[in-house]
Amino acid sequence: MADDPNPDPVVDPGEVAREAVDVAHRDLPDLVGRLAAFSDPTRLQLLIAIHAAPGSPVKALATATGLSPNTVTQALVSLRDSGLVANTRDGRLSRWTLTDAAAHDLLHHLGAPHSPLHPPH
């Protein structure tokens, strides 16, 4: 289109892709660690359970998932270390909640249901 006064510059897809990787490179280790939680069935079950029932203690999460409390605790520590969940003390209990907004959104995209404790938003 020779008559177009503002022709689009030629965009090299390889250069655009390289720039995107360069920008994301510093955050990739953290992203990989956070996404790893979604590839482990135990941790994914716990994320879904915490999404549905925020503030649940270990015993409730163990009952919901059919896992032993020890297994739940170990997986929750891993999720906490990844920055996906946090716990607050309530007397002798630790209550667990999601802390990562992107993980919360991803759970919705994966079909995690809402509940009376976590209504649609």
Side-chain angles (χ1 to χ4, degrees):
M1 296 175 55
D3 296 337
D4 189 349
N6 298 315
D8 289 332
V10 176
V11 177
D12 176 10
E15 181 65 21
V16 171
R18 185 193 62 74
E19 289 174 7
V21 170
D22 286 348
V23 168
H25 187 70
R26 70 180 181 345
D27 295 326
L28 284 178
D30 180 54
L31 178 61
V32 169
R34 289 169 44 213
L35 288 175
F38 288 86
S39 68
D40 177 77
T42 296
R43 290 180 293 199
L44 182 56
Q45 286 181 70
L46 288 169
L47 289 169
I48 292 168
I50 293 168
H51 173 265
S56 293
V58 169
K59 185 176 179 181
L61 294 170
T63 299
T65 59
L67 300 166
S68 73
N70 189 39
T71 299
V72 168
T73 299
Q74 290 175 0
L76 288 171
V77 168
S78 175
L79 291 170
R80 183 182 62 204
D81 290 347
S82 297
L84 298 175
V85 300
N87 63 307
T88 55
R89 297 295 296 174
D90 181 13
R92 292 176 42 156
L93 300 177
S94 279
R95 298 191 176 275
W96 293 86
T97 56
L98 292 174
T99 56
D100 187 278
H104 181 227
D105 292 343
L106 183 54
L107 286 166
H108 282 288
H109 288 293
L110 295 173
H114 286 100
S115 72
L117 298 175
H118 183 86
H121 48 93

Tab-separated table of all heavy atoms in Angstrom, residues 59-117:
chain	number	residue	atom	x	y	z
A	59	LYS	N	-6.656	-30.215	59.985
A	59	LYS	CA	-7.557	-31.363	60.159
A	59	LYS	C	-8.698	-31.334	59.142
A	59	LYS	O	-9.034	-32.366	58.542
A	59	LYS	CB	-8.123	-31.386	61.585
A	59	LYS	CG	-8.966	-32.601	61.868
A	59	LYS	CD	-9.427	-32.625	63.317
A	59	LYS	CE	-10.303	-33.841	63.560
A	59	LYS	NZ	-10.786	-33.888	64.942
A	60	ALA	N	-9.283	-30.173	58.909
A	60	ALA	CA	-10.367	-30.060	57.927
A	60	ALA	C	-9.849	-30.331	56.514
A	60	ALA	O	-10.532	-30.980	55.704
A	60	ALA	CB	-11.011	-28.679	58.004
A	61	LEU	N	-8.652	-29.842	56.205
A	61	LEU	CA	-8.071	-30.077	54.883
A	61	LEU	C	-7.733	-31.550	54.697
A	61	LEU	O	-7.918	-32.105	53.606
A	61	LEU	CB	-6.832	-29.201	54.693
A	61	LEU	CG	-7.112	-27.694	54.656
A	61	LEU	CD1	-5.810	-26.909	54.710
A	61	LEU	CD2	-7.934	-27.316	53.432
A	62	ALA	N	-7.270	-32.213	55.754
A	62	ALA	CA	-6.979	-33.643	55.678
A	62	ALA	C	-8.258	-34.434	55.428
A	62	ALA	O	-8.288	-35.338	54.585
A	62	ALA	CB	-6.295	-34.112	56.960
A	63	THR	N	-9.315	-34.079	56.127
A	63	THR	CA	-10.603	-34.761	55.935
A	63	THR	C	-11.117	-34.537	54.518
A	63	THR	O	-11.581	-35.473	53.853
A	63	THR	CB	-11.632	-34.254	56.966
A	63	THR	OG1	-11.138	-34.546	58.275
A	63	THR	CG2	-12.983	-34.909	56.772
A	64	ALA	N	-11.029	-33.302	54.041
A	64	ALA	CA	-11.542	-32.969	52.711
A	64	ALA	C	-10.800	-33.700	51.601
A	64	ALA	O	-11.407	-34.103	50.604
A	64	ALA	CB	-11.452	-31.461	52.485
A	65	THR	N	-9.509	-33.886	51.761
A	65	THR	CA	-8.692	-34.482	50.707
A	65	THR	C	-8.461	-35.975	50.881
A	65	THR	O	-7.997	-36.639	49.960
A	65	THR	CB	-7.323	-33.782	50.629
A	65	THR	OG1	-6.665	-33.918	51.896
A	65	THR	CG2	-7.465	-32.318	50.262
A	66	GLY	N	-8.753	-36.493	52.070
A	66	GLY	CA	-8.491	-37.905	52.339
A	66	GLY	C	-7.024	-38.193	52.583
A	66	GLY	O	-6.596	-39.346	52.534
A	67	LEU	N	-6.257	-37.144	52.857
A	67	LEU	CA	-4.824	-37.295	53.124
A	67	LEU	C	-4.573	-37.285	54.626
A	67	LEU	O	-5.395	-36.777	55.389
A	67	LEU	CB	-4.055	-36.153	52.461
A	67	LEU	CG	-4.196	-36.042	50.941
A	67	LEU	CD1	-3.669	-34.696	50.462
A	67	LEU	CD2	-3.458	-37.184	50.266
A	68	SER	N	-3.431	-37.805	55.025
A	68	SER	CA	-3.096	-37.761	56.446
A	68	SER	C	-2.735	-36.324	56.835
A	68	SER	O	-2.245	-35.555	55.997
A	68	SER	CB	-1.920	-38.687	56.750
A	68	SER	OG	-0.714	-38.123	56.254
A	69	PRO	N	-2.964	-35.958	58.086
A	69	PRO	CA	-2.582	-34.617	58.531
A	69	PRO	C	-1.096	-34.314	58.303
A	69	PRO	O	-0.736	-33.191	57.957
A	69	PRO	CB	-2.939	-34.609	60.013
A	69	PRO	CG	-4.049	-35.606	60.130
A	69	PRO	CD	-3.702	-36.685	59.129
A	70	ASN	N	-0.242	-35.329	58.469
A	70	ASN	CA	1.187	-35.124	58.251
A	70	ASN	C	1.481	-34.779	56.786
A	70	ASN	O	2.266	-33.876	56.493
A	70	ASN	CB	1.974	-36.359	58.679
A	70	ASN	CG	3.465	-36.111	58.684
A	70	ASN	OD1	3.923	-35.044	59.079
A	70	ASN	ND2	4.218	-37.100	58.232
A	71	THR	N	0.836	-35.503	55.866
A	71	THR	CA	1.011	-35.233	54.439
A	71	THR	C	0.506	-33.836	54.098
A	71	THR	O	1.149	-33.091	53.354
A	71	THR	CB	0.274	-36.291	53.593
A	71	THR	OG1	0.827	-37.577	53.888
A	71	THR	CG2	0.380	-36.006	52.107
A	72	VAL	N	-0.640	-33.476	54.663
A	72	VAL	CA	-1.206	-32.144	54.430
A	72	VAL	C	-0.243	-31.066	54.928
A	72	VAL	O	0.031	-30.088	54.228
A	72	VAL	CB	-2.596	-32.011	55.093
A	72	VAL	CG1	-3.069	-30.571	55.110
A	72	VAL	CG2	-3.596	-32.907	54.368
A	73	THR	N	0.265	-31.245	56.122
A	73	THR	CA	1.188	-30.253	56.692
A	73	THR	C	2.423	-30.088	55.819
A	73	THR	O	2.846	-28.957	55.540
A	73	THR	CB	1.581	-30.639	58.123
A	73	THR	OG1	0.395	-30.679	58.928
A	73	THR	CG2	2.567	-29.659	58.718
A	74	GLN	N	3.005	-31.189	55.372
A	74	GLN	CA	4.196	-31.109	54.519
A	74	GLN	C	3.887	-30.383	53.209
A	74	GLN	O	4.676	-29.547	52.750
A	74	GLN	CB	4.737	-32.505	54.233
A	74	GLN	CG	5.359	-33.167	55.439
A	74	GLN	CD	5.777	-34.601	55.170
A	74	GLN	OE1	5.606	-35.131	54.076
A	74	GLN	NE2	6.328	-35.247	56.191
A	75	ALA	N	2.759	-30.680	52.613
A	75	ALA	CA	2.391	-30.029	51.356
A	75	ALA	C	2.091	-28.552	51.572
A	75	ALA	O	2.446	-27.708	50.728
A	75	ALA	CB	1.186	-30.734	50.733
A	76	LEU	N	1.463	-28.215	52.697
A	76	LEU	CA	1.159	-26.814	52.983
A	76	LEU	C	2.434	-25.995	53.179
A	76	LEU	O	2.504	-24.838	52.742
A	76	LEU	CB	0.255	-26.696	54.216
A	76	LEU	CG	-1.183	-27.145	54.021
A	76	LEU	CD1	-1.909	-27.201	55.358
A	76	LEU	CD2	-1.912	-26.240	53.036
A	77	VAL	N	3.431	-26.590	53.800
A	77	VAL	CA	4.712	-25.890	53.965
A	77	VAL	C	5.315	-25.605	52.592
A	77	VAL	O	5.826	-24.507	52.333
A	77	VAL	CB	5.672	-26.710	54.858
A	77	VAL	CG1	7.082	-26.155	54.804
A	77	VAL	CG2	5.153	-26.730	56.287
A	78	SER	N	5.238	-26.562	51.692
A	78	SER	CA	5.740	-26.362	50.330
A	78	SER	C	4.969	-25.241	49.625
A	78	SER	O	5.564	-24.377	48.962
A	78	SER	CB	5.631	-27.671	49.542
A	78	SER	OG	5.997	-27.476	48.202
A	79	LEU	N	3.646	-25.257	49.764
A	79	LEU	CA	2.819	-24.203	49.159
A	79	LEU	C	3.130	-22.840	49.765
A	79	LEU	O	3.162	-21.827	49.060
A	79	LEU	CB	1.334	-24.538	49.315
A	79	LEU	CG	0.831	-25.728	48.496
A	79	LEU	CD1	-0.583	-26.109	48.930
A	79	LEU	CD2	0.887	-25.416	47.010
A	80	ARG	N	3.356	-22.815	51.061
A	80	ARG	CA	3.708	-21.555	51.728
A	80	ARG	C	5.065	-21.059	51.231
A	80	ARG	O	5.240	-19.872	50.945
A	80	ARG	CB	3.709	-21.720	53.241
A	80	ARG	CG	3.994	-20.393	53.980
A	80	ARG	CD	4.034	-20.576	55.466
A	80	ARG	NE	5.115	-21.497	55.806
A	80	ARG	CZ	5.155	-22.215	56.920
A	80	ARG	NH1	4.214	-22.126	57.818
A	80	ARG	NH2	6.163	-23.024	57.141
A	81	ASP	N	6.023	-21.966	51.108
A	81	ASP	CA	7.350	-21.588	50.620
A	81	ASP	C	7.293	-21.058	49.184
A	81	ASP	O	8.131	-20.250	48.794
A	81	ASP	CB	8.317	-22.772	50.700
A	81	ASP	CG	8.680	-23.144	52.128
A	81	ASP	OD1	8.384	-22.353	53.066
A	81	ASP	OD2	9.247	-24.247	52.313
A	82	SER	N	6.307	-21.512	48.419
A	82	SER	CA	6.120	-21.028	47.049
A	82	SER	C	5.357	-19.709	46.999
A	82	SER	O	5.182	-19.139	45.930
A	82	SER	CB	5.357	-22.071	46.218
A	82	SER	OG	6.098	-23.252	46.104
A	83	GLY	N	4.858	-19.256	48.150
A	83	GLY	CA	4.137	-17.992	48.200
A	83	GLY	C	2.681	-18.076	47.791
A	83	GLY	O	2.047	-17.064	47.528
A	84	LEU	N	2.135	-19.292	47.758
A	84	LEU	CA	0.753	-19.461	47.318
A	84	LEU	C	-0.259	-19.423	48.452
A	84	LEU	O	-1.416	-19.066	48.236
A	84	LEU	CB	0.606	-20.776	46.545
A	84	LEU	CG	1.441	-20.881	45.270
A	84	LEU	CD1	1.312	-22.264	44.668
A	84	LEU	CD2	1.041	-19.813	44.279
A	85	VAL	N	0.156	-19.820	49.647
A	85	VAL	CA	-0.731	-19.836	50.810
A	85	VAL	C	-0.006	-19.247	52.009
A	85	VAL	O	1.219	-19.140	52.022
A	85	VAL	CB	-1.227	-21.269	51.156
A	85	VAL	CG1	-1.996	-21.894	49.997
A	85	VAL	CG2	-0.076	-22.159	51.588
A	86	ALA	N	-0.788	-18.893	52.995
A	86	ALA	CA	-0.234	-18.429	54.269
A	86	ALA	C	-1.116	-18.978	55.376
A	86	ALA	O	-2.283	-19.311	55.157
A	86	ALA	CB	-0.204	-16.902	54.330
A	87	ASN	N	-0.533	-19.064	56.554
A	87	ASN	CA	-1.312	-19.529	57.700
A	87	ASN	C	-1.314	-18.461	58.787
A	87	ASN	O	-0.390	-17.665	58.897
A	87	ASN	CB	-0.762	-20.848	58.238
A	87	ASN	CG	0.650	-20.724	58.762
A	87	ASN	OD1	1.531	-20.249	58.056
A	87	ASN	ND2	0.873	-21.163	59.993
A	88	THR	N	-2.402	-18.450	59.526
A	88	THR	CA	-2.504	-17.597	60.701
A	88	THR	C	-2.841	-18.494	61.881
A	88	THR	O	-3.574	-19.480	61.735
A	88	THR	CB	-3.595	-16.508	60.537
A	88	THR	OG1	-4.828	-17.142	60.205
A	88	THR	CG2	-3.227	-15.514	59.455
A	89	ARG	N	-2.300	-18.159	63.004
A	89	ARG	CA	-2.554	-18.942	64.214
A	89	ARG	C	-3.893	-18.524	64.812
A	89	ARG	O	-4.224	-17.351	64.871
A	89	ARG	CB	-1.442	-18.734	65.242
A	89	ARG	CG	-0.068	-19.205	64.793
A	89	ARG	CD	0.039	-20.676	64.569
A	89	ARG	NE	-0.171	-21.426	65.793
A	89	ARG	CZ	-0.246	-22.735	65.850
A	89	ARG	NH1	-0.121	-23.451	64.768
A	89	ARG	NH2	-0.442	-23.336	66.994
A	90	ASP	N	-4.641	-19.524	65.235
A	90	ASP	CA	-5.917	-19.325	65.920
A	90	ASP	C	-5.900	-20.285	67.106
A	90	ASP	O	-6.365	-21.419	66.998
A	90	ASP	CB	-7.068	-19.607	64.964
A	90	ASP	CG	-8.432	-19.411	65.590
A	90	ASP	OD1	-8.513	-18.822	66.700
A	90	ASP	OD2	-9.427	-19.837	64.980
A	91	GLY	N	-5.308	-19.830	68.208
A	91	GLY	CA	-5.109	-20.737	69.337
A	91	GLY	C	-4.116	-21.807	68.939
A	91	GLY	O	-3.012	-21.509	68.511
A	92	ARG	N	-4.535	-23.058	69.017
A	92	ARG	CA	-3.654	-24.171	68.646
A	92	ARG	C	-3.728	-24.512	67.169
A	92	ARG	O	-2.963	-25.334	66.679
A	92	ARG	CB	-4.027	-25.403	69.469
A	92	ARG	CG	-3.708	-25.224	70.943
A	92	ARG	CD	-4.168	-26.384	71.770
A	92	ARG	NE	-3.896	-27.668	71.107
A	92	ARG	CZ	-3.770	-28.822	71.719
A	92	ARG	NH1	-3.909	-28.870	73.020
A	92	ARG	NH2	-3.527	-29.922	71.063
A	93	LEU	N	-4.655	-23.896	66.449
A	93	LEU	CA	-4.846	-24.206	65.029
A	93	LEU	C	-4.065	-23.251	64.140
A	93	LEU	O	-3.851	-22.090	64.481
A	93	LEU	CB	-6.327	-24.099	64.655
A	93	LEU	CG	-7.305	-25.006	65.396
A	93	LEU	CD1	-8.724	-24.700	64.956
A	93	LEU	CD2	-6.966	-26.469	65.134
A	94	SER	N	-3.693	-23.748	62.974
A	94	SER	CA	-3.198	-22.907	61.888
A	94	SER	C	-4.278	-22.904	60.823
A	94	SER	O	-4.702	-23.964	60.354
A	94	SER	CB	-1.913	-23.479	61.281
A	94	SER	OG	-0.806	-23.147	62.051
A	95	ARG	N	-4.731	-21.731	60.472
A	95	ARG	CA	-5.758	-21.597	59.438
A	95	ARG	C	-5.090	-21.119	58.152
A	95	ARG	O	-4.315	-20.181	58.164
A	95	ARG	CB	-6.848	-20.640	59.884
A	95	ARG	CG	-7.566	-21.162	61.131
A	95	ARG	CD	-8.818	-20.361	61.440
A	95	ARG	NE	-9.519	-20.943	62.564
A	95	ARG	CZ	-10.393	-21.942	62.467
A	95	ARG	NH1	-10.671	-22.458	61.304
A	95	ARG	NH2	-10.988	-22.415	63.549
A	96	TRP	N	-5.429	-21.779	57.042
A	96	TRP	CA	-4.733	-21.577	55.775
A	96	TRP	C	-5.599	-20.830	54.764
A	96	TRP	O	-6.791	-21.117	54.640
A	96	TRP	CB	-4.302	-22.933	55.221
A	96	TRP	CG	-3.260	-23.560	56.092
A	96	TRP	CD1	-3.468	-24.333	57.201
A	96	TRP	CD2	-1.855	-23.407	55.963
A	96	TRP	NE1	-2.259	-24.678	57.766
A	96	TRP	CE2	-1.253	-24.133	57.017
A	96	TRP	CE3	-1.034	-22.745	55.053
A	96	TRP	CZ2	0.120	-24.197	57.183
A	96	TRP	CZ3	0.338	-22.826	55.216
A	96	TRP	CH2	0.903	-23.539	56.272
A	97	THR	N	-4.978	-19.891	54.063
A	97	THR	CA	-5.665	-19.120	53.019
A	97	THR	C	-4.750	-18.969	51.808
A	97	THR	O	-3.520	-19.031	51.927
A	97	THR	CB	-6.054	-17.710	53.512
A	97	THR	OG1	-4.876	-17.060	53.982
A	97	THR	CG2	-7.099	-17.766	54.621
A	98	LEU	N	-5.358	-18.761	50.655
A	98	LEU	CA	-4.597	-18.431	49.445
A	98	LEU	C	-4.076	-17.019	49.579
A	98	LEU	O	-4.767	-16.140	50.094
A	98	LEU	CB	-5.496	-18.513	48.209
A	98	LEU	CG	-5.991	-19.880	47.788
A	98	LEU	CD1	-6.985	-19.754	46.639
A	98	LEU	CD2	-4.830	-20.759	47.373
A	99	THR	N	-2.875	-16.794	49.099
A	99	THR	CA	-2.295	-15.454	49.161
A	99	THR	C	-1.904	-14.927	47.790
A	99	THR	O	-1.549	-13.763	47.677
A	99	THR	CB	-1.043	-15.438	50.057
A	99	THR	OG1	-0.114	-16.401	49.562
A	99	THR	CG2	-1.406	-15.743	51.494
A	100	ASP	N	-1.964	-15.747	46.784
A	100	ASP	CA	-1.509	-15.366	45.454
A	100	ASP	C	-2.709	-15.165	44.538
A	100	ASP	O	-3.433	-16.113	44.239
A	100	ASP	CB	-0.579	-16.455	44.913
A	100	ASP	CG	0.064	-16.074	43.611
A	100	ASP	OD1	-0.591	-16.235	42.565
A	100	ASP	OD2	1.219	-15.601	43.652
A	101	ALA	N	-2.917	-13.928	44.095
A	101	ALA	CA	-4.080	-13.604	43.261
A	101	ALA	C	-4.041	-14.354	41.928
A	101	ALA	O	-5.082	-14.806	41.432
A	101	ALA	CB	-4.158	-12.100	43.031
A	102	ALA	N	-2.863	-14.499	41.342
A	102	ALA	CA	-2.764	-15.209	40.063
A	102	ALA	C	-3.127	-16.687	40.243
A	102	ALA	O	-3.795	-17.267	39.383
A	102	ALA	CB	-1.360	-15.063	39.487
A	103	ALA	N	-2.704	-17.289	41.356
A	103	ALA	CA	-3.061	-18.684	41.622
A	103	ALA	C	-4.571	-18.809	41.814
A	103	ALA	O	-5.188	-19.768	41.343
A	103	ALA	CB	-2.322	-19.198	42.854
A	104	HIS	N	-5.152	-17.845	42.492
A	104	HIS	CA	-6.600	-17.834	42.688
A	104	HIS	C	-7.302	-17.789	41.333
A	104	HIS	O	-8.226	-18.566	41.071
A	104	HIS	CB	-6.984	-16.636	43.558
A	104	HIS	CG	-8.432	-16.538	43.844
A	104	HIS	ND1	-9.136	-15.377	43.711
A	104	HIS	CD2	-9.332	-17.462	44.258
A	104	HIS	CE1	-10.401	-15.583	44.018
A	104	HIS	NE2	-10.536	-16.843	44.356
A	105	ASP	N	-6.855	-16.905	40.468
A	105	ASP	CA	-7.453	-16.807	39.133
A	105	ASP	C	-7.261	-18.104	38.348
A	105	ASP	O	-8.179	-18.564	37.666
A	105	ASP	CB	-6.857	-15.633	38.363
A	105	ASP	CG	-7.250	-14.288	38.941
A	105	ASP	OD1	-8.223	-14.219	39.724
A	105	ASP	OD2	-6.572	-13.295	38.603
A	106	LEU	N	-6.073	-18.695	38.444
A	106	LEU	CA	-5.806	-19.945	37.734
A	106	LEU	C	-6.720	-21.061	38.238
A	106	LEU	O	-7.225	-21.859	37.442
A	106	LEU	CB	-4.340	-20.338	37.879
A	106	LEU	CG	-3.900	-21.593	37.133
A	106	LEU	CD1	-4.239	-21.539	35.644
A	106	LEU	CD2	-2.407	-21.822	37.329
A	107	LEU	N	-6.953	-21.111	39.534
A	107	LEU	CA	-7.888	-22.115	40.067
A	107	LEU	C	-9.270	-21.947	39.447
A	107	LEU	O	-9.924	-22.936	39.110
A	107	LEU	CB	-7.961	-22.025	41.591
A	107	LEU	CG	-6.748	-22.587	42.321
A	107	LEU	CD1	-6.752	-22.151	43.775
A	107	LEU	CD2	-6.694	-24.102	42.213
A	108	HIS	N	-9.712	-20.709	39.276
A	108	HIS	CA	-11.000	-20.483	38.612
A	108	HIS	C	-10.958	-20.978	37.172
A	108	HIS	O	-11.890	-21.637	36.706
A	108	HIS	CB	-11.379	-18.999	38.650
A	108	HIS	CG	-11.923	-18.563	39.965
A	108	HIS	ND1	-13.169	-18.931	40.419
A	108	HIS	CD2	-11.383	-17.791	40.934
A	108	HIS	CE1	-13.376	-18.413	41.608
A	108	HIS	NE2	-12.302	-17.720	41.953
A	109	HIS	N	-9.873	-20.686	36.470
A	109	HIS	CA	-9.758	-21.139	35.080
A	109	HIS	C	-9.716	-22.660	34.975
A	109	HIS	O	-10.152	-23.218	33.971
A	109	HIS	CB	-8.523	-20.531	34.413
A	109	HIS	CG	-8.650	-19.079	34.129
A	109	HIS	ND1	-9.530	-18.559	33.204
A	109	HIS	CD2	-8.028	-18.016	34.678
A	109	HIS	CE1	-9.437	-17.250	33.184
A	109	HIS	NE2	-8.527	-16.891	34.078
A	110	LEU	N	-9.206	-23.310	36.004
A	110	LEU	CA	-9.148	-24.767	36.024
A	110	LEU	C	-10.460	-25.394	36.488
A	110	LEU	O	-10.587	-26.608	36.524
A	110	LEU	CB	-8.005	-25.242	36.926
A	110	LEU	CG	-6.600	-24.884	36.451
A	110	LEU	CD1	-5.567	-25.268	37.509
A	110	LEU	CD2	-6.292	-25.553	35.124
A	111	GLY	N	-11.427	-24.562	36.878
A	111	GLY	CA	-12.741	-25.070	37.250
A	111	GLY	C	-12.966	-25.266	38.732
A	111	GLY	O	-13.933	-25.929	39.125
A	112	ALA	N	-12.102	-24.713	39.587
A	112	ALA	CA	-12.332	-24.830	41.031
A	112	ALA	C	-13.657	-24.160	41.371
A	112	ALA	O	-13.893	-23.014	40.994
A	112	ALA	CB	-11.190	-24.180	41.807
A	113	PRO	N	-14.528	-24.879	42.064
A	113	PRO	CA	-15.868	-24.338	42.326
A	113	PRO	C	-15.892	-23.309	43.452
A	113	PRO	O	-14.993	-23.256	44.294
A	113	PRO	CB	-16.663	-25.583	42.745
A	113	PRO	CG	-15.631	-26.472	43.361
A	113	PRO	CD	-14.360	-26.228	42.588
A	114	HIS	N	-16.924	-22.513	43.414
A	114	HIS	CA	-17.193	-21.617	44.538
A	114	HIS	C	-17.932	-22.421	45.602
A	114	HIS	O	-18.333	-23.561	45.371
A	114	HIS	CB	-18.036	-20.423	44.072
A	114	HIS	CG	-17.239	-19.455	43.282
A	114	HIS	ND1	-17.269	-19.422	41.909
A	114	HIS	CD2	-16.367	-18.493	43.654
A	114	HIS	CE1	-16.468	-18.481	41.487
A	114	HIS	NE2	-15.899	-17.902	42.512
A	115	SER	N	-18.108	-21.817	46.758
A	115	SER	CA	-18.762	-22.507	47.865
A	115	SER	C	-19.456	-21.469	48.738
A	115	SER	O	-19.255	-20.265	48.544
A	115	SER	CB	-17.713	-23.257	48.698
A	115	SER	OG	-16.935	-22.337	49.443
A	116	PRO	N	-20.219	-21.922	49.718
A	116	PRO	CA	-20.814	-20.958	50.657
A	116	PRO	C	-19.752	-20.151	51.419
A	116	PRO	O	-19.999	-19.026	51.825
A	116	PRO	CB	-21.613	-21.832	51.620
A	116	PRO	CG	-21.896	-23.081	50.873
A	116	PRO	CD	-20.707	-23.280	49.958
A	117	LEU	N	-18.543	-20.721	51.569
A	117	LEU	CA	-17.464	-20.006	52.250
A	117	LEU	C	-16.650	-19.144	51.296
A	117	LEU	O	-15.867	-18.302	51.724
A	117	LEU	CB	-16.538	-20.996	52.955
A	117	LEU	CG	-17.182	-21.828	54.049
A	117	LEU	CD1	-16.187	-22.853	54.587
A	117	LEU	CD2	-17.687	-20.928	55.159
